[in-house]
Amino acid sequence: MATTDTKTKVGTGVGFVAILVWCLLPIAWIVSLSFKTVDETNAGSAQFLPKDASLDNYKALLGLTDDPVSDAAASDFGQALLNSLVVSLVATVLSVLFATLAAYAIARLEFRGKRLVLSLALAIAMFPVVSLVGPLFDMWRTFGLFNTWPGLIIPYMTFTLPLAIWTLSAFFREIPWEMEQAAQVDGATSWQAFRKVIVPLAAPGVFTAAILTFFFAWNEFVLAISLTSTQKARTVPAQMSYFVGPDPFNPPYGQLATASVIVTVPIIVIVLLFQRKIVAGLTSGAVKG
């Protein structure tokens, strides 16, 4: 029996290590590539670790060097990073704010067509983004929203709001109605009970909705590449598609890897800081009783 348990533990450990290596190897390769010099990447070296580790790629993309960057798209990376940060944060804040109010109404109030509202929200979230690019392109050029921050924030909210509403409505349903009634008996208004009692209790759901919304806006590519034309509003995923290098036969692998590392760091930091709330939000409603 002991031998069987030992074999099971060893097999589980080996499988875990194999899966971990399989998942982390591409990430480790990208990080290693970001520290390689241009000459080393152009030479096509298959060596995993860089021969002479250098921060030149990071300095060039972040504008920390006086040397001009040969690739114009790479020189505009700082502006693209700012665009991504502003667009993602604004879309996240507005989506979570509106979704909180809408989810509370759906969870607490009884009205005709509530199921229809949830069904439409789910349908919108699953709608293919590509099918909206053409109409949005024409509309945004007519309304003067093409190549602007609001021109990206509005369609981002269209797809993030339904997801946030579904996530938050599940949380609000789990909060006992008696707690809100008790707050009102103690003299709190409906708004005060919602703000001081309901929202703090639904904090894991709010964090989960905010993080999922931020992830979508931060990584979105199709709308960003279609609704922008210059670095004025172009976000990082779209900007990276313009990293072409000096010619088509010598792509800037080091700069692409460096940009990938830079845009991944905020995601990793957010996950590490709020991992408990993310798990609580994603597992909410999984057990009933």
Side-chain angles (χ1 to χ4, degrees), residues 81-238:
L81 199 61
L82 175 63
N83 295 337
S84 288
L85 186 62
V86 173
V87 170
S88 300
L89 287 178
V90 173
T92 298
V93 172
L94 293 179
S95 295
V96 172
L97 177 63
F98 293 140
T100 300
L101 300 175
Y104 176 78
I106 292 174
R108 292 301 195 207
L109 304 180
E110 292 294 336
F111 56 90
R112 295 180 60 184
K114 183 166 70 171
R115 292 184 177 274
L116 179 61
V117 171
L118 288 174
S119 300
L120 289 176
L122 183 61
I124 292 173
M126 299 177 63
F127 204 79
V129 179
V130 178
S131 61
L132 299 177
V133 170
L136 277 176
F137 180 85
D138 291 335
M139 289 175 58
W140 269 202
R141 289 181 64 87
T142 302
F143 298 153
L145 293 175
F146 181 77
N147 200 36
T148 62
W149 286 347
L152 291 178
I153 293 171
I154 295 174
Y156 283 4
M157 290 179 58
T158 303
F159 291 95
T160 55
L161 261 175
L163 178 61
I165 290 174
W166 270 87
T167 303
L168 290 172
S169 60
F171 266 85
F172 287 133
R173 290 193 193 98
E174 293 184 351
I175 299 176
W177 178 252
E178 290 77 11
M179 299 188 67
E180 186 175 359
Q181 291 177 326
Q184 293 177 350
V185 170
D186 291 338
T189 63
S190 299
W191 171 248
Q192 289 175 333
F194 170 75
R195 183 168 54 90
K196 296 182 179 181
V197 178
I198 301 300
V199 173
L201 291 174
V206 174
F207 274 101
T208 302
I211 290 169
L212 294 177
T213 301
F214 183 83
F215 285 178
F216 173 87
W218 186 260
N219 296 320
E220 203 283 326
F221 174 77
V222 176
L223 294 173
I225 195 68
S226 304
L227 301 180
T228 60
S229 58
T230 65
Q231 71 275 12
K232 176 183 176 182
R234 187 180 294 142
T235 57
V236 169

Side-chain angles (χ1 to χ4, degrees), residues 39-67:
D39 295 336
E40 187 175 354
T41 54
N42 289 342
S45 174
Q47 182 177 339
F48 180 77
L49 295 176
K51 296 179 180 179
D52 297 313
S54 172
L55 294 175
D56 291 344
N57 291 325
Y58 290 93
K59 293 179 180 179
L61 289 184
L62 297 177
L64 302 178
T65 179
D66 296 332
D67 296 334

